[in-house]
Amino acid sequence: MRYTPLFFMLLALLPTTANYTYATAAAPSQQVANHHSEEIPLNPKVKVGKLANGFQYFIMQNAEPKERVLFYLANKIGSLQETDKQQGLAHFLEHMNFNGTEHFPKNALVDYLQKAGIRFGADLNAYTGFEETVYQLPLPTKDPELLKQGLLIMRDWAAGALLESEEIDQERGVILEEKRQRDGLSNRLQEKTFPMLTNNSRYAHRMPIGTEEVLNNFKHQEIRKFHEDWYRPELQALIVVGDIQPDEIEKAIIAQFSTLKNPRNAPKLKDYPIALTHKNQFLAFTDEEVTQTSLQILYKREAEKTVSVKNYKTSLAKNLFIQLTNTRLAEQTRRASTPYLNAALSNSEMVGNLETNGIQIMPKPGELQASIDSVYYTLAQIKQYGFTQTELDRLKVGYHSSLDQSLKEYDKTDSKSFMDQILAYYLKNEPAPSFDYLYPILKDAVKEVTLQEIQQYATDFEGSKNRDMILVHTKDMEKVPVEQEINNWMAAAQQQQVHAYEEEQLASTLLSNLPTPGSILSESRDTTVHTQTLLLSNGVKVILKPTSYKNDEIQITSFSPGGYSLYDLADYQSAVNAANIVSNSGLGPFNSLQLSRYLTGKNASVSPFINEIGEGIKGYATKEDLETAFELIYGYFNAARLDKELNESNLEKTKLSLKNRHLQPSTVFSDSIATILFDRDPRKTALTPAKIDQIDLERSLQIFQERFADASDFTFVIVGNFDRELIDPYIQQYLATLPDLQRNEQFRDNGAYPPEKGMSVDIHKGHDDKSTVAMAYLGTYEGYSEYNNLLMEALSSCLTIKLTERLREKEGGVYTISVSPSLAKNPRKRFGMNISFTTGPEQVEKLTSAVVEEIELIRKNGPTQEDIDKYIAEKLLSSDQQLEANGFWLSYLLSSAVDQLDPARIFTEKESIKSITPKKVQQIAKRYLDTSNLFKFVLYPEK
């Protein structure tokens, strides 16, 4: 279970994109678009009710995904309501609701749901924030009894926690380990900056994870009192979204929750607004693990809530201002002479009643002042001259296209999207309208917004009060500037003389002089999986699967054997990075910036890849823009280019980012493991500045062209909502004319593998009082097969259950434990069973011994039938849903073709799953999980 404090992190340096996805059963209407002052109504498909005790419910029928439903129990209570003696108990109580309730004592709740195929942590979950605690339960809807029990679980979560003394004390260790797991650089940065950002308000002293003093020592009655005071129906709501009958669910909710009672003399739910001080604040932070200097300038203000139609237009205008500015700032990074690595504006919700307008700058070493000059030059240029109409029109086109695409897919909107909207509506009073209401409003807002309206937001990113400035710097920074010095730099930068922005003209077409279309030589149909396989005149094979899972989505992938395995060490780095270098360079007559402008408003994207054993191209498009996707595919085969200046700038950035890589313990840990396992083989070890220096950009382009010089051994798979009349002309024009050399290549096995015998290695780095453990059984996988892969998955599932029971529930030594198989057929049959967790250094030996002990018990006695049944239930539940997704069929059909397997086998997978037994899993464990091939790596703090 997670908790959600506001982790202060460096703001993302990519521009925000507007992407609205709503749904409705009706066509959009224009009649409401001009009522700018009216309140925004809740989606009428949501059934709303309130019981006499104040308990609220929201029910919405939605058939995506089919035969699934989401239950959320939302509590308007979080860590802000804790007393000094209760710090951390809102989150602790959330944990306790999984450790014994009125109808599900001890661990019966998790056990019951796992038997129904619901995964603990991945599906079944909860979180605690400053102002809310939310419990999440997804269920299949075929079984009426399971739905009934689901409502009973929600009722228990609302008021039925047992809070037994033994269970409370057992859980202390788990939560302390959760707290330990979060220790590190980001937590230390948060501890320093969060009080300043929240003006030393109550938020700064009520982090949901709590304090060690309270977690270790609170009396049992404190958590029981918190539960009695705050888990009350007038502060709760049940939200149900999915493939259900609303009237039936409503009756069941009324029956279950009407009997809940509010306690007498209950404490009042208080708001704790953060007062603006009208002062400026500055903090310089450094740490031995900081690898990059950054400056963040935040202007705090009261958050502007969206309460009426007019707020959509103002929000849009500000969003457009930020996107346009960030595009200008990002353009500068294409040049090696630009002093900053990245820079961006942002508008973000903080906590409580505040939001921030921010400027983030990541300078190159020693160039902080020059970076400030450069960023403020762009801001001054915008303030004086504004944006061009061409810039705005381009963004509008993209925005309109996004809205129209959402409209096309409105009836395929997944229940989780609706759930998130309704949850925010209940907890945060945020609007959750239907799409037929919102679509015309947003379309009109985009159409009407002007350059002048956008321009006014320039003043939001300057000011003389309520500004927080945070300088995070590396230990080796030669001269750390003080606040006044940075103020002086900013003041001077704002007075720069600027000139108007000039945008270069674009070519009008991507491709010219297309060849005569090729032909489809032969065609075969598979009536079981409903595919058609085409052989083209140049040897290309195309597998088509028309679907209706999305209304207007077509996905494309392809593969050809070879990859960078074919290149010797002298060319290795150039080969590994070739696809990225070419992708960064644009295509045909366009550099990457020009290409993005050319593609504005087109719902099509294509990206080439080169991996160890092959190369290919992946793509996506709507029906309207499908030809654009095929143009891009053809272009990567025939019109690849090299943007030397941009890639030299990118490589320099990468070298700078690698400079201090050795300062972070987690990086040192992973790098050390790779170095030891692969005996320093440069193909398998981490990227270094020296490896960057080995990249020859011209050679990378040449390698890319070599990999895509021959399409005759390519297999393309196309899945989505299309018909042959639409797609055949594109296949003939763009795929059947790709180059044909008849090379018949294969990948090469370069032989970099771990040793046959296991080992144990301790690595010391960092000073946090925690250890990371990475254990893995590694070796040759002679028995590679799809059925054995299922057995490996089942073994992993059983190990997850058993190790969670032992290390978390019994020992209280971990918060989470990860168990995952890694199974490879190429370039060599290999297996790995990977186990990892974080714990206290003093517990490492005990817990790693416990891991081995539990594995040996499975090897000796096999897993229990109950644990196998849980895996089977989970796998069967997920197998139905995967068949309804374009992405699944895309990868499945390609792998089937490459490995020459019958794709119809997917329809017998359920029988294979059901045939799994404890004995078969025991045999796979005995065969592969031998202690002789156990590798154990432990990260300890430095002595």
Side-chain angles (χ1 to χ4, degrees):
M1 288 160 284
R2 64 185 176 91
Y3 74 96
T4 56
L6 177 73
F7 280 106
F8 176 77
M9 300 179 70
L10 302 180
L11 295 175
L13 297 179
L14 296 174
T16 304
T17 56
N19 184 13
Y20 294 86
T21 304
Y22 297 87
T24 181
S29 165
Q30 295 288 338
Q31 62 184 355
V32 297
N34 294 319
H35 296 188
H36 291 288
S37 62
E38 70 177 31
E39 293 185 2
I40 302 165
L42 178 65
N43 189 333
K45 286 184 68 177
V46 180
K47 181 185 279 285
V48 181
K50 188 172 185 178
L51 305 180
N53 56 14
F55 188 89
Q56 297 183 57
Y57 57 84
F58 303 84
I59 308 168
M60 184 176 180
Q61 186 177 31
N62 185 60
E64 294 293 336
K66 296 176 183 177
E67 299 178 345
R68 297 290 187 274
V69 65
L70 291 173
F71 290 91
Y72 276 30
L73 178 72
N75 301 266
K76 289 185 176 180
I77 177 63
S79 60
L80 285 184
Q81 307 304 324
E82 297 166 347
T83 66
D84 288 343
K85 294 181 179 180
Q86 296 173 338
Q87 291 182 67
L89 297 196
H91 171 242
F92 203 116
L93 180 53
E94 170 220 311
H95 275 239
M96 293 306 300
N97 257 326
F98 292 84
N99 288 344
T101 62
E102 182 180 344
H103 296 93
F104 298 91
K106 304 294 181 181
N107 292 317
L109 187 152
V110 173
D111 186 60
Y112 172 76
L113 291 171
Q114 284 179 328
K115 290 175 182 176
I118 309 302
R119 297 170 297 170
F120 179 53
D123 300 320
L124 173 68
N125 214 324
Y127 74 88
T128 303
F130 290 106
E131 297 159 320
E132 76 276 353
T133 305
V134 179
Y135 298 85
Q136 307 165 353
L137 175 61
L139 291 175
T141 57
K142 281 184 178 180
D143 184 354
E145 180 60 27
L146 183 58
L147 285 180
K148 181 180 177 181
Q149 292 297 306
L151 277 172
L152 187 61
I153 290 169
M154 304 310 282
R155 196 264 181 211
D156 270 13
W157 279 341
L162 294 179
L163 301 176
E164 297 168 311
S165 296
E166 180 183 355
E167 293 294 328
I168 292 171
D169 290 335
Q170 183 68 32
E171 197 67 17
R172 291 183 199 264
V174 174
I175 293 180
L176 287 167
E177 288 305 321
E178 180 178 0
K179 190 174 189 304
R180 186 199 305 272
Q181 185 170 302
R182 299 176 188 278
D183 287 344
L185 175 61
S186 63
N187 188 62
R188 294 193 292 275
L189 180 57
Q190 175 188 284
E191 288 177 349
K192 290 291 186 181
T193 57
F194 197 62
M196 183 181 83
L197 289 170
T198 57
N199 293 341
N200 207 34
S201 66
R202 189 175 181 87
Y203 287 88
H205 307 288
R206 287 295 181 273
M207 299 304 295
I209 193 63
T211 67
E212 287 194 28
E213 173 66 23
V214 171
L215 295 174
N216 272 314
N217 301 301
F218 74 87
K219 304 297 183 183
H220 298 162
Q221 61 265 28
E222 284 294 341
I223 195 168
R224 292 168 185 154
K225 177 173 173 51
F226 187 89
H227 182 256
E228 180 182 353
D229 284 346
W230 297 113
Y231 271 56
R232 57 191 204 238
E234 63 185 0
L235 300 178
Q236 295 174 320
L238 179 61
I239 309 171
V240 184
V241 182
D243 196 2
I244 41 83
Q245 293 300 319
D247 290 344
E248 294 178 8
I249 291 291
E250 182 179 37
K251 291 177 184 177
I253 290 173
I254 293 171
Q256 280 285 8
F257 293 90
S258 292
T259 56
L260 298 181
K261 298 184 183 301
N262 292 298
R264 294 181 178 179
N265 303 316
K268 183 180 179 181
L269 184 67
K270 294 180 181 179
D271 289 326
Y272 293 94
I274 301 172
L276 291 170
T277 64
H278 306 299
K279 298 176 182 178
N280 294 333
Q281 302 180 95
F282 174 81
L283 186 146
F285 174 89
T286 191
D287 187 278
E288 60 188 17
E289 294 180 24
V290 171
T291 62
Q292 174 61 52
T293 295
S294 69
L295 176 67
Q296 194 166 36
I297 305 162
L298 300 172
Y299 294 93
K300 293 185 294 202
R301 58 185 290 172
E302 289 284 339
E304 295 182 10
K305 296 290 185 181
T306 302
V307 295
S308 64
V309 171
K310 67 178 181 181
N311 296 130
Y312 281 118
K313 186 172 183 180
T314 56
S315 296
L316 170 69
K318 186 165 191 173
N319 181 272
L320 292 175
F321 175 83
I322 291 172
Q323 289 189 67
L324 289 168
T325 303
N326 287 346
T327 299
R328 291 259 190 106
L329 291 169
E331 282 180 27
Q332 305 305 313
T333 63
R334 300 177 60 83
R335 296 193 289 268
S337 59
T338 299
Y340 58 81
L341 298 170
N342 283 300
L345 304 189
S346 64
N347 172 250
S348 305
E349 289 186 13
M350 202 168 69
V351 290
N353 54 305
L354 297 187
E355 67 178 20
T356 61
N357 296 312
I359 304 171
Q360 170 83 25
I361 304 171
M362 296 183 70
K364 292 178 180 176
E367 299 200 54
L368 177 58
Q369 182 179 2
S371 295
I372 291 173
D373 284 343
S374 182
V375 169
Y376 276 92
Y377 180 93
T378 299
L379 297 180
Q381 182 187 61
I382 292 167
K383 189 171 182 179
Q384 182 171 336
Y385 293 103
F387 299 102
T388 67
Q389 190 64 48
T390 301
E391 288 176 288
L392 177 57
D393 289 345
R394 185 165 49 241
L395 204 53
K396 283 187 174 187
V397 168
Y399 206 105
H400 277 296
S401 177
S402 177
L403 284 173
D404 290 342
Q405 189 60 27
S406 292
L407 175 62
K408 291 176 185 177
E409 300 292 350
Y410 73 87
D411 63 333
K412 303 292 187 181
T413 304
D414 64 278
S415 294
K416 179 64 165 59
S417 296
F418 287 118
M419 176 62 80
D420 290 342
Q421 295 165 30
I422 300 169
L423 183 66
Y425 175 86
Y426 172 69
L427 291 175
K428 307 292 185 183
N429 296 317
E430 294 181 5
S434 62
F435 192 77
D436 63 325
Y437 179 86
L438 187 58
Y439 176 81
I441 291 172
L442 294 178
K443 288 285 282 189
D444 285 350
V446 177
K447 180 180 178 181
E448 294 169 2
V449 70
T450 66
L451 287 169
Q452 290 71 29
E453 288 172 316
I454 293 172
Q455 185 70 13
Q456 65 180 314
Y457 291 100
T459 58
D460 284 3
F461 295 87
E462 58 185 33
S464 58
K465 59 184 181 181
N466 293 317
R467 186 197 70 197
D468 290 348
M469 194 152 54
I470 301 164
L471 175 65
V472 178
H473 64 90
T474 57
K475 284 279 190 181
D476 62 358
M477 191 174 190
E478 289 186 7
K479 184 178 183 300
V480 181
V482 296
E483 179 180 9
Q484 188 57 52
E485 195 170 2
I486 296 177
N487 284 337
N488 293 340
W489 292 348
M490 290 167 56
Q494 288 170 325
Q495 302 304 314
Q496 296 176 84
Q497 295 296 313
V498 298
H499 58 75
Y501 175 78
E502 295 181 5
E503 185 174 310
E504 57 189 334
Q505 296 297 310
L506 291 180
S508 58
T509 59
L510 174 62
L511 302 176
S512 59
N513 302 320
L514 286 171
T516 301
S519 60
I520 299 172
L521 293 184
S522 64
E523 175 180 337
S524 61
R525 292 177 179 268
D526 188 323
T527 56
T528 304
V529 293
H530 303 292
T531 59
Q532 299 124 47
T533 300
L534 316 179
L535 180 63
L536 307 187
S537 52
N538 57 352
V540 171
K541 183 164 73 171
V542 182
I543 301 170
L544 303 175
K545 182 173 176 61
T547 70
S548 58
Y549 306 135
K550 292 287 186 180
N551 295 328
D552 194 16
E553 176 186 88
I554 301 166
Q555 293 191 39
I556 304 170
T557 192
S558 60
F559 182 80
S560 165
Y564 53 70
S565 68
L566 301 182
Y567 294 88
D568 294 331
L569 285 177
D571 282 333
Y572 187 72
Q573 293 304 325
S574 298
V576 167
N577 292 281
N580 283 337
I581 287 168
V582 170
S583 295
N584 290 336
S585 297
L587 202 59
F590 304 118
N591 63 34
S592 58
L593 178 62
Q594 294 165 340
L595 182 62
S596 69
R597 289 171 176 169
Y598 171 77
L599 294 174
T600 296
K602 295 180 173 70
N603 287 297
S605 64
V606 163
S607 59
F609 68 87
I610 302 173
N611 61 29
E612 183 179 6
I613 63 171
E615 57 275 336
I617 293 181
K618 298 178 181 179
Y620 158 89
T622 61
K623 284 179 275 191
E624 181 180 357
D625 296 311
L626 182 57
E627 185 171 14
T628 298
F630 277 101
E631 284 184 320
L632 293 167
I633 292 170
Y634 184 91
Y636 279 117
F637 276 88
N638 295 285
R641 53 176 282 160
L642 176 63
D643 187 330
K644 203 164 186 178
E645 181 182 15
L646 173 64
N647 279 292
E648 285 175 346
S649 175
N650 287 344
L651 293 180
E652 184 61 27
K653 288 183 195 176
T654 304
K655 287 176 67 174
L656 290 173
S657 71
L658 294 171
K659 177 185 175 184
N660 294 318
R661 182 180 175 89
H662 63 284
L663 299 178
Q664 296 184 320
S666 60
T667 303
V668 170
F669 188 48
S670 60
D671 289 357
S672 299
I673 291 174
T675 298
I676 295 167
L677 282 181
F678 299 103
D679 194 24
R680 301 181 181 275
D681 189 300
R683 297 176 186 270
K684 298 294 185 179
T685 49
L687 192 62
T688 64
K691 288 183 178 180
I692 295 295
D693 288 335
Q694 294 171 16
I695 297 172
D696 182 322
L697 293 176
E698 297 286 355
R699 180 61 178 140
S700 288
L701 174 61
Q702 186 180 38
I703 289 171
F704 183 91
Q705 291 169 331
E706 289 171 2
R707 293 296 83 232
F708 291 91
D710 179 21
S712 64
D713 60 353
F714 266 75
T715 298
F716 282 82
V717 178
I718 306 174
V719 177
N721 205 325
F722 61 84
D723 55 37
R724 294 292 299 277
E725 183 179 0
L726 170 70
I727 206 164
D728 277 13
Y730 300 145
I731 290 173
Q732 293 164 343
Q733 177 63 79
Y734 296 102
L735 298 188
T737 56
L738 294 176
D740 173 11
L741 301 180
Q742 297 294 318
R743 288 191 306 200
N744 194 28
E745 290 182 317
Q746 294 298 321
F747 59 82
R748 188 167 69 190
D749 184 354
N750 289 302
Y753 298 100
E756 292 184 7
K757 188 176 181 180
M759 63 180 69
S760 180
V761 179
D762 295 340
I763 297 162
H764 296 266
K765 185 66 177 178
H767 298 284
D768 291 316
D769 185 30
K770 66 177 181 180
S771 284
T772 301
V773 177
M775 304 172 68
Y777 291 81
L778 304 173
T780 302
Y781 191 19
E782 310 97 336
Y784 182 98
S785 70
E786 289 190 324
Y787 189 71
N788 277 348
N789 291 351
L790 281 176
L791 295 178
M792 280 287 199
E793 275 190 19
L795 174 58
S796 171
S797 175
C798 294
L799 283 173
T800 300
I801 293 170
K802 281 293 175 278
L803 294 180
T804 299
E805 290 174 356
R806 177 73 179 272
L807 273 64
R808 174 177 165 137
E809 305 302 334
K810 182 179 178 181
E811 305 288 353
V814 303
Y815 170 54
T816 58
I817 184 165
S818 171
V819 184
S820 61
S822 54
L823 311 170
K825 182 178 181 180
N826 296 314
R828 190 181 296 183
K829 295 176 181 177
R830 299 283 303 178
F831 82 92
M833 186 63 72
N834 310 296
I835 303 162
S836 62
F837 56 89
T838 299
T839 189
E842 73 284 355
Q843 299 196 84
V844 167
E845 287 304 318
K846 178 181 71 172
L847 296 184
T848 54
S849 296
V851 168
V852 174
E853 184 179 322
E854 292 296 329
I855 290 173
E856 288 302 308
L857 285 172
I858 286 179
R859 295 181 76 228
K860 179 180 178 181
N861 304 318
T864 65
Q865 184 65 53
E866 185 178 79
D867 288 349
I868 292 294
D869 289 343
K870 289 176 180 178
Y871 168 75
I872 291 173
E874 175 195 326
K875 192 70 175 175
L876 291 176
L877 194 60
S878 63
S879 67
D880 286 335
Q881 282 190 289
Q882 71 181 5
L883 298 179
E884 301 285 317
N886 289 332
F888 165 76
W889 284 108
L890 193 76
S891 59
Y892 175 75
L893 291 173
L894 182 64
S895 63
S896 297
V898 170
D899 291 338
Q900 298 182 328
L901 297 173
D902 180 5
R905 71 194 188 283
I906 190 63
F907 299 117
T908 60
E909 185 184 54
K910 285 188 176 181
E911 284 67 32
S912 296
I913 295 169
K914 292 175 183 177
S915 72
I916 293 174
T917 64
K919 184 66 175 177
K920 292 176 181 178
V921 174
Q922 180 188 9
Q923 289 172 344
I924 209 87
K926 289 179 71 173
R927 184 175 183 181
Y928 293 110
L929 302 195
D930 191 291
T931 53
S932 65
N933 60 1
L934 171 60
F935 295 78
K936 184 180 77 170
F937 299 90
V938 182
L939 175 64
Y940 286 102
E942 294 174 44
K943 295 180 180 178

